[in-house]
Amino acid sequence: MSAPDRGYVGRFAPSPTGPLHAGSVAAALASWLDARAHGGRWLLRIEDIDRPREQPGATASILDTLSRLGLRADGDPVLQSTRGAHYEAALYALRSVGLAYPCGCTRREIADSQQRAGLSAARHGELVYPGTCRDGLPPGREPRAWRLRVPEGVVRVDDRLLGDCSQDVAAEVGDFVLRRADGMWAYQLAVVVDDAAQGVTHVVRGADLAGSTARQVVLAGALGVRSPRWLHVPVVAGADGDKLSKQNGATAVDAARPLPVLDAAMAHLGFEPPSVRGHDAWLAEATLRWAARHGPRATASGR
Ligand code: GLU
């Protein structure tokens, strides 16, 4: 294996909306293997800011499954629910330089103005914001959400697996939400603040989040923090062809039998699963296979 990269910090950041299923295990394994292949550290973060979507017991179940799979983290997991003061500080910093502004629009109003402008509906998971409140709240409007003032132009993103994922965030997403109208912190803000706070240098996650990456690069720039490197692995599809989720039949993996679960995840990631039996040997062989394709020597081109 290549010389260890002591500066490498990776992470897995599940939302506790249910137990780990085949898709989330593949993402967890990929990020763990990438960290080990680089001789780096691997951290865990529980993204429990969306309380209504949280499922009781999911955090404990996720941690238990990871430990049975042998995917042990370097250090205790960070819980986003404890990090509100840091998100508040980031929003304050953005406001004080004029990069965040209050928005009084409802979803309905945004959808209507989009329709009037002939814009297509939601792209990248959010309605394209037409900029209604950018230059100040219209008279009589109350602030609801906080948005980032997104600079014009294409944001460059070079994914280690997907290649060019650049995106014109201003045109395709618009000024996106940092704090939601219901007072909850937006995923985009929390993830950027926490990746920076945890010193994350490499993000490896499911390709369903590839469309968020450019937004996270913009936000990191606005906050004056470094963006990590990116690698998005294919998502596992459910019965309906969409990303596997609770809605389309995702079931919890059987953590009592870790090797078949790891074999399936490895195959999904496009690798022949190691035929060695024995947990530690399996993980060691899988790390070598990952390193041959994505390790520091395999990626001398800089990706
Ligand atoms: N919490 C997100 C999820 O479970 C992942 C966030 C990330 O990896 O950036 O989908």
Side-chain angles (χ1 to χ4, degrees):
M1 206 183 307
S2 314
D5 176 356
R6 299 267 172 240
Y8 180 114
V9 181
R11 52 71 160 178
F12 176 53
S15 304
T17 51
L20 292 184
H21 52 70
S24 36
V25 167
L29 178 64
S31 67
W32 187 90
L33 289 173
D34 200 51
R36 292 292 172 259
H38 285 81
R41 300 173 63 226
W42 188 69
L43 308 178
L44 269 181
R45 183 169 70 236
I46 302 295
E47 302 212 319
D48 55 351
I49 39 168
D50 195 342
R51 282 283 149 102
R53 288 186 61 229
E54 195 172 330
Q55 195 190 87
T59 296
S61 149
I62 289 170
L63 296 178
D64 178 64
T65 300
L66 290 172
S67 140
R68 285 167 189 257
L69 295 176
L71 308 182
R72 297 208 175 78
D74 300 303
D76 291 337
V78 166
L79 302 181
Q80 285 194 324
S81 54
T82 65
R83 302 216 6 105
H86 298 271
Y87 310 143
E88 194 81 63
L91 179 59
Y92 183 83
L94 293 169
R95 284 171 61 176
S96 56
V97 293
L99 286 176
Y101 66 86
C103 170
C105 301
T106 61
R107 267 188 91 73
R108 176 81 262 151
E109 287 167 332
I110 297 170
D112 286 351
S113 56
Q114 257 190 335
Q115 225 174 14
R116 279 196 300 276
L119 292 168
S120 58
R123 294 200 57 186
H124 305 294
E126 272 180 50
L127 297 170
V128 179
Y129 183 63
T132 318
C133 301
R134 209 169 204 241
D135 301 317
L137 283 170
R141 298 311 294 260
E142 291 294 318
R144 291 167 50 83
W146 283 85
R147 291 182 181 274
L148 183 77
R149 196 180 294 280
V150 173
E152 276 180 20
V154 172
V155 178
R156 290 213 19 89
V157 177
D158 183 22
D159 187 281
R160 291 166 54 206
L161 189 60
L162 303 178
D164 186 13
C165 288
S166 303
Q167 188 187 89
D168 187 336
V169 179
E172 294 186 31
V173 180
D175 293 346
F176 56 88
V177 171
L178 302 170
R179 186 173 207 165
R180 295 164 24 174
D182 58 12
M184 282 196 274
W185 296 104
Y187 155 67
Q188 308 292 355
L189 179 79
V191 79
V192 172
V193 169
D194 288 342
D195 279 339
Q198 291 185 278
V200 171
T201 60
H202 291 70
V203 168
V204 177
R205 59 186 180 189
D208 53 312
L209 292 164
S212 281
T213 309
R215 266 175 276 177
Q216 293 167 16
V217 169
V218 171
L219 190 45
L223 288 167
V225 296
R226 255 180 102 98
S227 283
R229 308 276 301 282
W230 313 95
L231 190 160
H232 289 88
V233 295
V235 292
V236 175
D240 56 2
D242 280 349
K243 180 202 167 197
L244 191 61
S245 68
K246 262 187 303 185
Q247 287 70 38
N248 64 9
T251 49
V253 294
D254 179 7
R257 296 174 60 242
L259 282 178
V261 174
L262 290 169
D263 278 347
M266 195 68 179
H268 174 74
L269 294 170
F271 290 86
E272 185 70 31
S275 52
V276 291
R277 289 293 134 180
H279 208 144
D280 291 347
W282 192 101
L283 289 171
E285 177 58 28
T287 304
L288 288 173
R289 289 181 191 191
W290 181 276
R293 213 179 284 175
H294 300 297
R297 285 216 185 121
T299 53
S301 67
R303 273 221 174 138

